Amino acid sequence: MKKTVSPYAAPLVSLMLLLGMILIWYAATLPPPAASYTPEQREYAILMGDLPEDGSDVPVGNPSDFPTPAGFAKLGWDHLSQPFYDNGPNDKGIGIQLGYSLLRVLAGYLLAVAVAIPLGYIIGMSPLISKALSPYIQLLKPISPLAWMPIALYTIKDSNMSAIFVIFICSLWPMLMNTAFGVANVRKDWLNVAATLEVKPFRKAFKIILPAAAPAILTGMRISMGIAWLVIVAAEMLVGGTGIGYFVWNQWNNLSLGNVVFAVLLIGIVGMLLDMSFGWLQKKVTYIE
């Protein structure tokens, strides 16, 4: 007899894992106990830089450089309570930094949608064009998006537009391939019925082929969005200026590990929300034959 699992089991296990990680974090950031040194040992430790010269027995470079859970919670509240302040180029609120990143991702992603779906439709409908473009797609698809950055900076001569171009490139291929696959695999019976009824090409595209291929297209769009959100962080570290990627790099240069961890957590939350929204859309267009 199959055992039924309580719907609360998974959230409970997740909560216990979270508490366990916070406990480990707390234990790892506790200050080390003060050790007892003989005068000779203290003098040697100060000479080696292991102890401060003020007579304290707390070692230099202890794990308290990393924020404690309570300190991190306070830091997070400080960021979230004033997310849109602007004190100059290198001191903007986390909401502004996140907004710049999302706008860049959205711009590059929509450009990719405008190119990938029509081109994928043509490739899926025409075996000749599919075979003709296949060598170029197979050549360009494996290239890392960041490898295009120097070429984009040289040709476009604008760091912001170069980051959008990199997002466009990395979003293009999954959408293109999935659209072509979805269109090419629409059931022949449906196409034959459309041909028998003499349905016009434009009507056939929007009433039969694209709705039938929608689950595959949405899968490609979901993969593309995930890659775009991954790449924007690295791209903004390279181009600088504004954005969540630049914020991470800037805080690392300031040795502010708490801000780095907070930004990393925020990147993960935004990425999860983006993926969940595409998952919801995917369910809306999925059908059972």
Side-chain angles (χ1 to χ4, degrees), residues 4 25 142 164 177 185 194 215 231 255 285-286:
T4 58
W25 182 1
I164 292 173
M177 300 303 293
N185 285 279
V231 169
L255 296 179
V285 300
T286 300

Side-chain angles (χ1 to χ4, degrees), residues 49-222:
D50 295 334
L51 283 179
E53 295 181 359
D54 59 2
S56 171
D57 285 343
V58 178
V60 174
N62 60 68
S64 63
D65 291 340
F66 201 83
T68 62
F72 181 75
K74 182 180 181 307
L75 184 144
W77 173 251
D78 291 341
H79 278 296
L80 295 176
S81 59
Q82 290 184 324
F84 300 110
Y85 75 86
D86 188 350
N87 293 333
N90 290 324
D91 190 12
K92 298 181 187 298
I94 197 72
I96 294 178
Q97 305 283 12
L98 200 58
Y100 273 101
S101 298
L102 286 170
L103 284 176
R104 288 189 183 110
V105 167
L106 187 64
Y109 184 82
L110 290 179
L111 281 174
V113 169
V115 173
I117 293 181
L119 186 58
Y121 180 86
I122 294 169
I123 292 172
M125 290 297 292
S126 171
L128 173 65
I129 294 178
S130 175
K131 288 180 182 177
L133 294 182
S134 180
Y136 300 103
I137 295 172
Q138 297 304 324
L139 175 69
L140 296 173
K141 190 176 64 171
I143 298 174
S144 168
L146 294 178
W148 291 97
M149 182 60 82
I151 300 172
L153 287 170
Y154 177 78
T155 53
I156 301 174
K157 303 187 187 307
D158 183 280
S159 59
N160 192 43
M161 294 303 295
S162 298
I164 292 173
F165 173 76
V166 168
I167 295 302
F168 164 75
I169 285 290
C170 74
S171 304
L172 182 67
W173 307 118
M175 266 191 279
L176 180 68
M177 300 303 293
N178 275 56
T179 303
F181 173 80
V183 170
N185 285 279
V186 173
R187 286 182 60 177
K188 300 302 178 189
D189 295 344
W190 299 348
L191 297 178
N192 292 336
V193 170
T196 303
L197 296 175
E198 297 182 350
V199 178
K200 301 292 183 186
F202 192 77
R203 183 179 174 85
K204 185 172 72 174
F206 283 93
K207 292 292 183 181
I208 299 173
I209 298 174
L210 287 177
I217 296 173
L218 257 294
T219 300
M221 293 176 73
R222 187 178 182 179

Side-chain angles (χ1 to χ4, degrees), residues 26 92 254:
Y26 175 73
K92 298 181 187 298
N254 294 334

